[in-house]
Amino acid sequence: MGDSLTDSTRPLRIAIVGAGPGGLAASISLGRLPNVELHVFDQARVLREIGAGIGINENTWRLLKWYGADKNLDAYYKKRDDSVIDIQMRDGITGELLGQRLQKDSSPIGPPYARVERYKLQNALKKEVPEGLIQLSKRLVEIEEKPSGLTLKFEDGTALEDVDLVVGADGIRSVVRQFAFPDHKLSFSGKVAYRVLIPQEDVAHIPDIPPCAAFWHTPTTHVYTNPLDEGKFEIATRALETDENAGKVSWGQEAKPEQVVHHYDGYHPTIRAIIAAPKSWLSFALFGGPRLETVTAKGRVVLIGDAAHPLSGAFGAGAAFALEDAYTLMATLGYARTHNKPQSWALEQFDEIRSPHYEKLYHILNTYEEVNKEVFAIDPPLAPSELVKVRLQKNAAGASTAWIYKYDITKVWQERLEQLEVLEASPEPVAITKEDETPTGQALDQVVADAARLSLVSA
Ligand SMILES: Cc1cc2nc3c(=O)[nH]c(=O)nc-3n(C[C@H](O)[C@H](O)[C@H](O)COP(=O)(O)OP(=O)(O)OC[C@H]3O[C@@H](n4cnc5c(N)ncnc54)[C@H](O)[C@@H]3O)c2cc1C
């Protein structure tokens, strides 16, 4: 088989494995390319999103507009209101307000810091995918490489042959990643996220609940509270879990209150009362893995979303990264197709744009780990409240994060496009410039909300 991108006699056969935010976005974006035969598979019998709320920042919103899915979420997000508090950071023990951001300080591009139930994001994207395209109950178990292309084998005994491009959108425990990078291993982070959505009336009797998203920090754990859309109240926590069985807990397993409550005994009375409210929780054992040097393999495999970056839920923006990946893949394949370039070229371009992005994210995580070690090593030890403040300040000074939530992949691609056009027109080789280095440091008052989000990984 020739390279299908430059072989106009047959359509490009693409298999997308996984129909989470990444797979759905890729179904929309790659479906917009001409002469493509698209297959989309998910292991689930019914597509549903478990969990609680999901943050929709400027970068997510920009792409939701591009995918045409923003209109499907319009009813749910809170409208921008300059006088309303967007997000707060609090000391988890004393309740002291450490910082806050008003909606007027956030991006004018979309909702201020919208957070909706996760299934609504999933549904908003799904509505834009052609009816009948997604094949459910299709669990990929093996990929075989043949000269004619890749063969995907499913648990139900069926197979898809002669695949030109496999898009691994199959999440953190990606089978596609395992095929492409068999040596890559995930490990339990030692942290479990407990999350739940309850009716707001269940916490209405509790005094001093902030009317906005709020992170409550202690040196080792944090609690996130947020009155969500449609009368729901979200509680999301991280806990250190020393129980050796914790890492075996599967994703989204029900947890009893007694498994959760004790982690937050030392917290401020408001939080203790909030944590006592739910009758049951969902627990998520957090797994992560080292950064992949490249997110493409064998000239026929590309990883997107959580499959590409097992970041263990850090940054609270994984869905956005998946949407960015799907956009970039469409852009590079589309360019290759119209400029008579091979598929391998398109994947190289994809990798050159996305891998450095993930490298920057891993760099921030490493910085946080260092800061965490540093503040715990201070002698004499800092009081808990002091430790929380110092860590937030050092995190903010050490690694800028605001850019993550404003990142404009459409602009990044536009810039690359201009460079490629220059390259095409030039008889001499022209070097393509890489993205800027990771920005380092920012003033604490500028990054209250972003530092708060990043504490997701430090607590
Ligand atoms: C605690 C926590 C909080 C988070 N909060 C946020 C947030 O606020 N904002 C945000 O943007 N992101 C958040 N994220 C990250 C976000 O949930 C993920 O990054 C996002 O869901 C990734 O999308 P995905 O499509 O790559 O993978 P997934 O959503 O994991 O989807 C993968 C899909 O692949 C399917 N699949 C898996 N294996 C197979 C197989 N072998 N064969 C066929 N199908 C398969 C699955 O059924 C699933 O539908 C959070 C993550 C965690 C852990």
Side-chain angles (χ1 to χ4, degrees):
M1 180 196 283
D3 187 308
S4 194
L5 279 188
T6 51
D7 173 5
S8 57
T9 57
R10 58 180 288 276
L12 183 71
R13 180 172 289 177
I14 302 179
I16 299 173
V17 184
L24 291 171
S27 304
I28 303 168
S29 68
L30 301 185
R32 290 181 186 175
L33 293 175
N35 207 22
V36 158
E37 182 193 306
L38 206 53
H39 301 260
V40 186
F41 304 101
D42 200 287
Q43 65 185 7
R45 269 181 293 142
V46 182
L47 270 195
R48 67 191 177 96
E49 176 62 83
I50 48 171
I54 193 153
I56 299 182
N57 297 289
E58 182 178 322
N59 55 343
T60 328
W61 198 250
R62 180 181 294 110
L63 287 178
L64 284 173
K65 280 179 193 284
W66 188 86
Y67 290 110
D70 58 319
K71 60 183 180 298
N72 306 330
L73 276 174
D74 202 51
Y76 304 120
Y77 68 81
K78 285 178 249 163
K79 304 290 181 210
R80 186 182 167 82
D81 177 340
D82 287 359
S83 67
V84 168
I85 300 166
D86 181 16
I87 191 164
Q88 289 185 342
M89 275 200 292
R90 289 181 173 269
D91 184 310
I93 298 168
T94 64
E96 182 193 348
L97 180 65
L98 301 176
Q100 67 181 10
R101 186 176 74 181
L102 297 179
Q103 288 191 1
K104 75 178 171 56
D105 302 326
S106 55
S107 160
I109 190 173
Y113 174 63
R115 204 166 167 88
V116 297
E117 286 174 83
R118 291 164 70 88
Y119 80 88
K120 288 174 181 162
L121 175 67
Q122 184 108 340
N123 282 352
L125 288 164
K126 204 170 85 188
K127 273 191 186 159
E128 301 307 310
V129 177
E131 197 68 35
L133 180 63
I134 302 168
Q135 299 183 51
L136 296 174
S137 299
K138 286 284 182 190
R139 184 170 139 73
L140 178 76
V141 286
E142 198 188 333
I143 302 178
E144 206 179 300
E145 206 174 359
K146 292 183 183 167
S148 60
L150 299 175
T151 301
L152 270 57
K153 297 183 178 174
F154 298 94
E155 198 175 48
D156 63 4
T158 60
L160 179 70
E161 303 213 336
D162 297 343
V163 177
D164 297 304
L165 179 63
V166 175
V167 180
D170 49 344
I172 182 124
R173 291 183 175 81
S174 169
V175 171
V176 180
R177 182 177 62 225
Q178 219 43 53
F179 163 72
F181 305 104
D183 294 335
H184 187 270
K185 296 275 176 283
L186 293 180
S187 57
F188 176 49
S189 66
K191 290 170 196 158
V192 174
Y194 294 107
R195 321 186 96 200
V196 72
L197 283 182
I198 53 176
Q200 279 176 23
E201 62 247 31
D202 289 5
V203 292
H205 62 285
I206 301 169
D208 303 326
I209 296 183
C212 57
F215 280 91
W216 304 69
H217 298 278
T218 70
T220 52
T221 60
H222 76 257
V223 175
Y224 172 87
T225 58
N226 193 6
L228 268 190
D229 61 310
E230 297 192 312
K232 301 274 174 47
F233 190 80
E234 178 181 12
I235 315 170
T237 72
R238 295 259 165 132
L240 299 179
E241 201 51 90
T242 47
D243 178 354
E244 60 177 26
N245 290 320
K248 295 177 190 146
V249 167
S250 66
W251 195 241
Q253 183 163 307
E254 196 175 327
K256 293 192 166 40
E258 54 268 31
Q259 286 170 260
V260 181
V261 170
H262 69 95
H263 288 292
Y264 309 99
D265 279 347
Y267 269 75
H268 185 266
T270 297
I271 283 296
R272 291 211 307 274
I274 290 173
I275 294 281
K279 308 257 181 317
S280 78
W281 293 76
L282 289 176
S283 71
F284 302 83
L286 299 174
F287 281 75
R291 183 177 76 82
L292 294 161
E293 294 289 327
T294 163
V295 289
T296 67
K298 302 173 192 287
R300 292 190 187 280
V301 177
V302 58
L303 302 176
I304 67 170
D306 279 10
H309 58 84
L311 281 162
S312 182
F315 305 108
F321 303 150
L323 302 195
E324 290 166 1
D325 286 340
Y327 175 90
T328 310
L329 188 58
M330 176 280 307
T332 57
L333 283 172
Y335 184 93
R337 180 151 270 215
T338 51
H339 290 74
N340 213 26
K341 306 258 186 213
Q343 177 171 305
S344 52
W345 180 92
L347 296 191
E348 270 167 33
Q349 292 294 317
F350 176 87
D351 203 39
E352 279 188 21
I353 294 170
R354 294 309 286 164
S355 282
H357 192 68
Y358 290 132
E359 191 173 0
K360 288 177 187 175
L361 299 178
Y362 271 90
H363 174 76
I364 295 172
L365 291 191
N366 293 341
T367 304
Y368 278 167
E369 245 178 68
E370 292 305 314
V371 166
N372 210 34
K373 280 187 206 147
E374 196 188 317
V375 292
F376 273 100
I378 292 173
D379 192 20
L382 297 175
S385 292
E386 197 52 26
L387 189 145
V388 165
K389 273 186 205 151
V390 171
R391 184 173 58 199
L392 285 172
Q393 277 162 350
K394 281 182 178 285
N395 279 349
S400 167
T401 56
W403 62 274
I404 297 171
Y405 307 98
K406 296 181 187 304
Y407 188 74
D408 186 351
I409 188 67
T410 64
K411 201 165 142 228
V412 170
W413 172 246
Q414 204 50 45
E415 283 164 9
R416 174 144 299 228
L417 210 50
E418 282 159 22
Q419 291 174 341
L420 288 170
E421 300 293 355
V422 172
L423 200 65
E424 291 285 325
S426 167
E428 300 295 325
V430 180
I432 291 192
T433 48
K434 299 281 194 306
E435 271 192 75
D436 293 344
E437 292 299 304
T438 308
T440 51
Q442 56 192 337
L444 180 62
D445 56 353
Q446 289 167 4
V447 292
V448 164
D450 304 301
R453 283 188 199 112
L454 279 162
S455 67
L456 281 170
V457 294
S458 60

